[in-house]
Amino acid sequence: MTRIYLLLALLCLAFTQLHAQKRDFVKTDGHLFTLNGKPYYFIGTNYWYGALLGSTGEAGNRERLLKELDMLKKAGVTNLRILAGTEGPNNQPYRVSPGLQLSPGVYNDTLLAGLDFLLAEMGKRDMKAVLYLNNAWEWSGGFSQYVNWNTNVPIPYALANNNDWASFMKYSGQFHQCEPCKQQFANHVKFMLGRTNQFTRKKYTDDPVIMSWQIANEPRAFSMANVPAYSQWIKSTAALLKSLSPNHLVSTGSEGSHGSEGSMDVFKQVHTDPNIDYFTMHIWPRNWGWLDNQNLAGSLDSAITKTMEYMDRHIAFAREQKKPIVLEEFGLQRDHNAFSPSATTSHRDRYYQRVFERVLASAQAKDALAGANFWAFNGTARPNPTRHFWKPGDDLMGDPPQEEQGLYGVFDTDSTIPLVTKYSKAVRKAGKKRKK
């Protein structure tokens, strides 16, 4: 009889642990995210280089990583958007180095261990990760590297060709017509989702630290002619992710209509899919011409107005589809277009505050805007004083290698940090309260 009681107790314990683990996954309930049965709203950040810091090889710095995770946790920032796919050979221009997938199916085990370490440490701090697996842009390989692997035609880097972005985008757009490219990416998806964390011994597909698998950073068709193939690729990849990892949410990483050939209709067409659990949008006032670089103060109000209008259109679609939406990238340069940590950030802080207030109001009303991840966290990193652009050996920071280091990133000493802390805690508190 004692053995029966013991067996029943063990079965009960196993069921309780399994149930508790299931509750730890972020879920959706209509246009809400939920966590442990309660609404989940957040102010988060982009920390794309976290897995590199978590490695023990080139670019690794676990001491810095742990310090910065503690810093973010103290600020109430527990939702981190992280890169889980850098493709191609090391030491290429305008590119992250070292790479994760050095050639098709050949991986850097040190960086894989770095991602394991990062996720394990995030788990200790009750953090959630959005892991994106590809990139439409050149700074981590992405679409253009898959095209290069299968055509052997050199990548026409825009920064090396007088900012000829049209040629780069035409080149990268070949991805959607390249069956071997798409198959190699599908193989990458299967490889990453088949991994077991060497520190926690959890399969990635069973790890509640991961909130979402994201198809790519700012995926685009790059032409209207490519839209059918692009749409099919997004939907087939979302289905693949869902089939391999049913516990996790799936998102695309889209900028919204701006990254959908400027068409809200294209964005809607691509995203009206049952395997896409929530929507994303990105907003870049400087890059999109909403700000006058020579008159930041005079053009900021107009940029804020356009930001709110852009958010309105996409939030309305989220409400219509009964799905959450996240502003997962946005940023503003430092005052006077400076890059140094000593430069002030008054314009940026004002812009951030308006965005954060929008998320807070949504949390209070239990509306569809579920969070905002600012771009990006520079933490304790400091730019090399002898140059503006990153080279191997320099500190990694939120500004990727093709951008001036310090352009958008938030340093630990910036006045932006207390603002982030204030609103991250207010949003979390409001999200947990019942709507009045």
Side-chain angles (χ1 to χ4, degrees):
M1 186 65 72
T2 302
R3 290 181 178 179
I4 293 175
Y5 285 139
L6 179 60
L7 179 59
L8 288 172
L10 290 172
L11 288 172
C12 184
L13 177 62
F15 176 80
T16 301
Q17 290 175 337
L18 179 62
H19 181 66
Q21 185 185 59
K22 291 290 185 184
R23 282 173 53 85
D24 286 340
F25 287 93
V26 177
K27 300 293 185 183
T28 59
D29 180 5
H31 67 243
L32 296 176
F33 285 133
T34 63
L35 179 60
N36 296 325
K38 297 180 179 179
Y40 175 60
Y41 289 85
F42 59 87
I43 300 295
T45 191
N46 283 267
Y47 198 54
W48 63 263
Y49 56 91
L52 279 80
L53 287 184
S55 74
T56 55
E58 180 188 353
N61 189 335
R62 288 183 175 176
E63 181 180 357
R64 175 188 162 192
L65 174 66
L66 297 178
K67 181 178 181 180
E68 292 183 351
L69 290 178
D70 287 341
M71 191 180 300
L72 289 167
K73 174 72 173 181
K74 184 178 179 180
V77 177
T78 58
N79 188 288
L80 310 183
R81 185 167 174 259
I82 297 156
L83 178 61
T86 51
E87 296 80 24
N90 293 329
N91 301 317
Q92 298 298 296
Y94 318 112
R95 291 267 288 273
V96 175
S97 187
L100 176 63
Q101 187 179 186
L102 302 175
S103 59
V106 177
Y107 287 86
N108 181 333
D109 288 335
T110 302
L111 285 193
L112 290 170
L115 181 57
D116 289 349
F117 182 82
L118 170 64
L119 293 173
E121 291 299 323
M122 287 179 65
K124 294 175 184 177
R125 294 163 176 81
D126 295 320
M127 291 178 160
K128 297 297 178 185
V130 174
L131 300 180
Y132 55 100
L133 296 156
N134 204 334
N135 194 353
W137 305 109
E138 78 287 11
W139 58 269
S140 69
F143 289 5
S144 59
Q145 183 59 65
Y146 284 105
V147 172
N148 173 261
W149 279 335
N150 289 282
T151 65
N152 292 316
V153 176
I155 299 170
Y157 292 105
L159 293 180
N161 293 285
N162 297 314
N163 286 317
D164 183 4
W165 287 103
S167 294
F168 173 79
M169 290 190 285
K170 182 178 180 181
Y171 180 95
S172 294
Q174 296 175 79
F175 176 88
H176 302 298
Q177 307 294 338
C178 174
E179 294 306 320
C181 299
K182 290 184 281 189
Q183 185 57 56
Q184 287 167 356
F185 174 65
N187 292 342
H188 173 63
V189 169
K190 294 172 186 175
F191 177 82
M192 294 302 294
L193 273 66
R195 185 167 178 79
T196 296
N197 190 310
Q198 63 179 265
F199 296 99
T200 65
R201 306 314 305 167
K202 286 182 181 177
K203 294 180 178 179
Y204 274 23
T205 51
D206 292 334
D207 191 350
V209 172
I210 300 170
M211 167 179 156
S212 171
W213 294 107
Q214 193 162 90
I215 295 172
N217 176 57
E218 300 188 340
R220 289 188 179 191
F222 285 124
S223 72
M224 287 301 293
N226 264 341
V227 166
Y230 165 71
S231 178
Q232 178 56 41
W233 174 70
I234 288 287
K235 292 176 181 180
S236 64
T237 304
L240 175 63
L241 289 165
K242 271 295 181 188
S243 70
L244 296 173
S245 195
N247 288 324
H248 289 121
L249 303 178
V250 170
S251 52
T252 65
S254 173
E255 299 152 273
S257 63
H258 189 87
S260 303
E261 305 312 304
S263 169
M264 196 68 196
D265 288 340
V266 170
F267 178 76
K268 291 179 178 180
Q269 171 195 330
V270 172
H271 287 79
T272 309
D273 185 273
N275 292 310
I276 297 172
D277 294 298
Y278 68 97
F279 306 139
T280 60
M281 53 182 166
H282 300 183
I283 300 178
W284 290 103
R286 170 175 162 154
N287 297 6
W288 295 359
W290 294 357
L291 271 176
D292 180 353
N293 279 341
Q294 304 307 313
N295 184 18
L296 294 181
S299 58
L300 185 59
D301 283 342
S302 175
I304 289 173
T305 297
K306 291 176 180 177
T307 294
M308 296 299 131
E309 291 171 349
Y310 192 85
M311 293 175 73
D312 286 343
R313 292 193 293 273
H314 293 78
I315 293 168
F317 177 60
R319 292 185 189 120
E320 173 192 312
Q321 295 296 307
K322 296 180 174 59
K323 293 183 179 182
I325 187 167
V326 176
L327 175 57
E328 65 171 18
E329 274 194 30
F330 65 97
L332 207 77
Q333 64 267 46
R334 308 175 80 81
D335 296 346
H336 312 295
N337 297 296
F339 309 127
S340 168
S342 63
T344 57
T345 58
S346 62
H347 301 310
R348 179 217 283 162
D349 292 353
R350 186 174 161 216
Y351 184 84
Y352 270 36
Q353 183 170 358
R354 288 297 301 275
V355 170
F356 292 160
E357 286 174 348
R358 188 73 186 267
V359 179
L360 177 57
S362 183
Q364 291 168 338
K366 302 299 178 286
D367 203 353
L369 178 62
N373 296 72
F374 65 88
W375 186 282
F377 188 59
N378 284 351
T380 59
R382 293 296 181 268
N384 189 305
T386 66
R387 54 177 171 264
H388 287 318
F389 292 95
W390 184 87
K391 288 187 178 181
D394 294 347
D395 286 350
L396 287 164
M397 57 182 68
D399 304 292
Q402 91 287 3
E403 291 182 342
E404 296 91 343
Q405 301 296 280
L407 175 62
Y408 291 121
V410 178
F411 295 101
D412 60 327
T413 52
D414 285 350
S415 61
T416 315
I417 294 293
L419 188 71
V420 169
T421 303
K422 173 185 173 181
Y423 280 95
S424 63
K425 294 180 178 180
V427 164
R428 177 178 292 186
K429 183 178 180 181
K432 292 179 179 179
K433 288 184 178 179
R434 292 185 177 182
K435 182 180 177 182
K436 293 182 181 179

